[in-house]
């Protein structure tokens, strides 16, 4: 198994190397990560400016790539041939901060996994419900074990696994919960300022998001100390609504 390891916090992020080194125990790995933080940058496909992907030596003396592109660009560049061998699995993370519910639409961590799926291979996105660097030994070895499960069982096409770790010490984790996406509640607030010439500018500020901890959701799992694994399908068609929509009888003119 050849694993492409990436993230959205950047190549120097504290969780990247522990993740890579845990995966080294079960697979060959190649790190291909952004050269700076792309958190909440979503899923860009950079088409209107050139992209760098420079060879770098990681602290464990392994060779990887640091790119000026987004996490999704990193995966794309790897598949397009910057990396000579096609990966069998994309593993993205471990992100600083959970990616629960609607977060998956903003997350660069998730976008990298999605890019893997679009390129026809299985992918795992990993995030930790903590914005501070913690001991990643437990989560990283769990990620390696999960990669082995994926290698053993395969994943249906068009799907990835979205994994979140609760912000408790590894010994206190309650278990693994197979979950669905919950409902994030964003508490964004408009912060309005004025520049030195009196023109307004804005920040999207406010408190970190909360969520509805409904049983069975990723939000519930994390709030209760479980590792959550949500299988996510890229086909977002609202199948059940098609009949209602037909009844609208939308006409061309
Ligand atoms: Mn991030």
């Amino acid at each position: 198994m050849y694993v492409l390891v990436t993230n959205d916090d950047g190549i120097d992020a504290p969780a990247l190397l522990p993740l890579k080194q845990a995966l080294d125990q079960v697979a060959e790995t190649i790190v291909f990560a952004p050269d700076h933080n792309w958190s909440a940058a979503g899923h860009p496909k950079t088409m209107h400016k050139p992209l760098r992907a420079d060879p770098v030596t990681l602290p464990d003396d392994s060779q990887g790539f640091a790119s000026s592109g987004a996490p999704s660009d990193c995966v794309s560049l790897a598949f397009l041939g910057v990396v000579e061998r096609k990966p069998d699995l994309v593993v993205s993370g471990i992100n600083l901060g959970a990616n629960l519910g609607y977060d998956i639409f903003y997350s660069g961590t998730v976008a990298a996994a999605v890019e893997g799926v679009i390129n026809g291979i299985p992918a795992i996105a990993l995030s930790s419900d903590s914005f501070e660097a913690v001991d990643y030994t437990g989560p990283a070895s769990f990620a390696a074990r999960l990669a082995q499960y994926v290698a053993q069982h395969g994943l249906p096409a068009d799907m990835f696994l979205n994994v979140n770790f609760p912000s408790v010490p590894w010994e206190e984790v309650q278990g693994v919960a197979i979950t669905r996406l919950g409902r994030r509640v964003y508490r964004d607030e408009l912060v309005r300022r004025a520049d030195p010439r009196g023109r307004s500018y804005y920040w999207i500020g406010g408190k970190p998001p909360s969520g509805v901890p409904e049983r069975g959701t990723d939000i519930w799992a994390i709030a209760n100390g479980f590792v959550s694994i949500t299988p996510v399908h890229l086909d977002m068609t609202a199948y059940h609504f098609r009949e209602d929509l037909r009844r609208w009888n939308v006409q061309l003119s």
Side-chain angles (χ1 to χ4, degrees), residues 99-101 104 110 113 123-126 142 146 155 159-165 176-182 216-222 227-233:
N99 279 303
L100 305 167
I104 67 167
V110 169
I124 304 171
L126 304 151
F142 176 82
L146 187 58
L155 272 182
M159 255 189 54
F160 69 96
L161 300 180
N162 188 43
V163 178
N164 282 275
F165 299 104
V176 177
I178 306 301
T179 49
R180 61 188 171 87
L181 294 173
T217 64
D218 51 2
I219 289 166
W220 171 87
I222 292 308
V227 174
S228 77
I229 308 180
T230 306
V232 181
H233 203 245

Side-chain angles (χ1 to χ4, degrees), residues 127-241:
S127 308
S128 170
D129 186 32
S130 170
F131 283 99
E132 277 150 45
V134 294
D135 179 2
Y136 291 107
T137 314
S141 56
F142 176 82
R145 214 155 42 249
L146 187 58
Q148 287 181 298
Y149 280 103
V150 170
Q152 186 190 339
H153 295 280
L155 272 182
D158 209 25
M159 255 189 54
F160 69 96
L161 300 180
N162 188 43
V163 178
N164 282 275
F165 299 104
S167 68
V168 297
W170 189 249
E171 315 77 61
E172 292 169 29
V173 172
Q174 299 297 303
V176 177
I178 306 301
T179 49
R180 61 188 171 87
L181 294 173
R183 190 156 297 217
R184 264 302 206 192
V185 177
Y186 295 101
R187 300 185 287 176
D188 298 343
E189 283 171 18
L190 187 67
V191 178
R192 190 194 308 259
R193 302 259 165 84
D195 73 15
R197 283 155 297 280
R199 186 174 161 211
S200 294
Y201 67 94
Y202 304 93
W203 289 98
I204 297 173
K207 298 196 184 88
S210 63
V212 182
E214 201 179 329
R215 207 179 174 85
T217 64
D218 51 2
I219 289 166
W220 171 87
I222 292 308
N224 287 278
F226 289 86
V227 174
S228 77
I229 308 180
T230 306
V232 181
H233 203 245
L234 266 56
D235 181 353
M236 293 194 292
T237 308
Y239 286 94
H240 57 283
F241 191 67

Side-chain angles (χ1 to χ4, degrees), residues 38-175:
W38 284 80
S39 293
H43 199 139
K45 178 176 277 202
T46 301
M47 298 175 77
H48 302 288
K49 62 181 182 191
L51 292 168
R52 300 283 183 190
D54 293 327
V56 290
T57 303
L58 297 162
D60 67 352
D61 284 333
S62 63
Q63 295 297 306
F65 291 91
S67 174
S68 58
S72 43
D73 291 323
C74 289
V75 175
S76 179
L77 289 172
F79 274 92
L80 288 169
V82 175
V83 173
E84 278 172 25
R85 201 170 135 201
K86 285 250 190 297
D88 306 302
L89 175 69
V90 170
V91 176
S92 177
I94 300 169
N95 190 59
L96 283 176
N99 279 303
L100 305 167
Y102 300 143
D103 291 343
I104 67 167
F105 293 102
Y106 300 103
S107 169
T109 307
V110 169
V114 169
E115 189 65 30
V117 175
I118 289 171
N119 281 277
I121 67 157
I124 304 171
L126 304 151
S127 308
S128 170
D129 186 32
S130 170
F131 283 99
E132 277 150 45
V134 294
D135 179 2
Y136 291 107
T137 314
S141 56
F142 176 82
R145 214 155 42 249
L146 187 58
Q148 287 181 298
Y149 280 103
V150 170
Q152 186 190 339
H153 295 280
L155 272 182
D158 209 25
M159 255 189 54
F160 69 96
L161 300 180
N162 188 43
V163 178
N164 282 275
F165 299 104
S167 68
V168 297
W170 189 249
E171 315 77 61
E172 292 169 29
V173 172
Q174 299 297 303

